[in-house]
Amino acid sequence: MGIIVALTGSSGNMGRETLPALMSLPFIDRINLLYLDNRRERRFARKIKRRYGDRVFQIFGNIANEDDCEKLISDADYVINLAAVIPPASDSEPEKTRECNVTGVKNLVKAIERREKQPGFIHTSTVAVYGNRNYLHPWGRVGDPLLPSVYDVYAATKVKGERIILDSNIEKWSILRQTAILHNRMLTDNMKDGLMFHTCFNVPLEWVTSRDSGLLIKNIIKRDYEEGGVENYWNRVFNIGGGDKNRVTGYDTFEEGFGIIGGSAEKFMRPGWNSIRNFHGMWFSDSDELQDMFDFQRESVKDYWLEILKSHPYYKIAKILPPVIIRKLAIERLLPDPNSPSRWIKNGDEGKVKAYFGSKENLKCMPEDWKDFAVLAKGRLPDGDVNYRELKNIKNLKKYGFVLPHGYDETKADSELDLDDMRAAAEYRGGEVVSEEMNKGDLYTKLLWRCHDGHEFYASPYAVLKAGHWCPECTEPEPWDFDRLSKFMPYYANVWYDTHAKGENVVYFFDDEHHAKFTRF
Ligand SMILES: [Zn+2]
């Protein structure tokens, strides 16, 4: 007797690699797939049907529809949720994004909870939940504060999606925070609007390829099925990363990608084109955890770039045309796009300018020439130089003070954590734990907490201490209130003030027409 897997998002970047990887497992009898009911998805689904025949069962509908989710998971042994509306679509279609990334998760959770024998639930989240990092804390791990970037509807909805699972009654779940993913539609997807200019040149990025991500999901199912459960895997949150060879910065990424077509970051771009904060990305100090369990990190981003570019028209054109023409054809044409920082500046979009550059005044001091711009990848910082290789060495985390405290005694074994640890963690988050009892070491029975603003909420010790979640009313955007929250939450202040001044007293929000606004407090 084999097993049945339910998979969402199989036509997405990660899904396209995950489905064939899963299909190579002989003990999977069938995979249930959910597609949107539109022409593009139906065309894709026909191809899948031709290839796999009766081993796939296809449903056309919407994850935001309860009945469709019910049908999808009705007989599944595992449910894998890869469905998400991601940037740049999430920037222009917030409603669709909420439907898929929040309502969709709610529906899957409800359908799983209703089953007498529950399937295991694997949910993909994102590095974007951590928000912006720079050279002051380029490394991070699960349990670090969730400070999703201002105006990033994608990240905000992914935080909410995680919370639904953490608060659920699902017996076997796991949340995988996916890092920057390199996939073969990267160039076409990310070079059609202004999204590439959101990437700060100095942001730390740990890439993984979509193929390795597919292999990870396959290996999770394989081990779990063959061993009757993988120890220390279920009911936890993990970071997916590509490991040491794939830890770079925004600048290195442009340098590598453009280098293959005869250019470079500096030949193709200008310092003032890209935002200087409010992006997301970091190097994971704990991405070896999944690697140790499931051995999936095979590919380097460098090799994969080459593979992608070779099949792209730019690769051939670049051999004939000089870099300045490529710059105009491929990149400069995107500068006036509504999703590009240059356009926000030109239009006087104060909310976006404030969020991504700090202030209008900061724009005046932006260097125009690369020789004046401190590129982290070259070991240059605005206030002196640094050894970039040393910074990137995982052995130096403590030396550089890169390990963020989570507000309780982390030297204790999980089985020893008690109410005192909850009190300490709550205080570090500016609030308190209301519950007066807790079974020592029980990280999954919910406790009652109170935030600084007086909201009371239930959450498991795991969600708070280990996964970085806190008050659903004031810390899950929107609005983005981190200037204020950081004043009494040392847990947030540690990271927030790396890229924000203490005197910035602003709350960011979207108005009814989805215009980026802020008010001072
Ligand atoms: Zn609150």
Side-chain angles (χ1 to χ4, degrees), residues 234-253:
W234 292 106
N235 304 338
R236 290 183 62 196
V237 181
F238 295 93
N239 287 322
I240 306 179
D244 187 51
K245 60 182 180 294
N246 293 322
R247 290 187 188 122
V248 293
T249 62
Y251 180 92
D252 301 305
T253 305

Side-chain angles (χ1 to χ4, degrees), residues 163-180:
R163 188 58 177 267
I164 292 163
I165 296 160
L166 288 161
D167 288 349
S168 76
N169 294 316
I170 294 181
E171 288 153 20
K172 258 171 60 173
W173 56 265
S174 69
I175 295 171
L176 310 179
R177 291 178 182 156
Q178 174 64 291
T179 192

Side-chain angles (χ1 to χ4, degrees), residues 451 453 455 471 473-474:
C451 78
D453 291 356
H455 306 126
C471 173
E473 268 187 77
C474 55

Side-chain angles (χ1 to χ4, degrees), residues 352-368:
K352 292 273 175 76
V353 168
K354 172 119 194 75
Y356 287 85
F357 293 94
S359 67
K360 273 190 290 189
E361 289 65 40
N362 279 358
L363 292 171
K364 289 179 200 142
C365 356
M366 281 289 283
E368 284 177 20

Side-chain angles (χ1 to χ4, degrees), residues 450-457 470-475 485:
R450 190 185 294 127
C451 78
H452 175 274
D453 291 356
H455 306 126
E456 291 195 348
F457 60 93
W470 185 237
C471 173
E473 268 187 77
C474 55
T475 68
L485 294 165

Side-chain angles (χ1 to χ4, degrees), residues 291-308:
Q291 167 64 9
D292 290 348
M293 284 186 199
F294 303 111
D295 185 26
F296 67 98
Q297 294 171 349
R298 299 285 153 90
E299 300 180 312
S300 86
V301 161
K302 210 170 193 165
D303 299 340
Y304 201 71
W305 259 130
L306 192 63
E307 195 185 312
I308 298 171

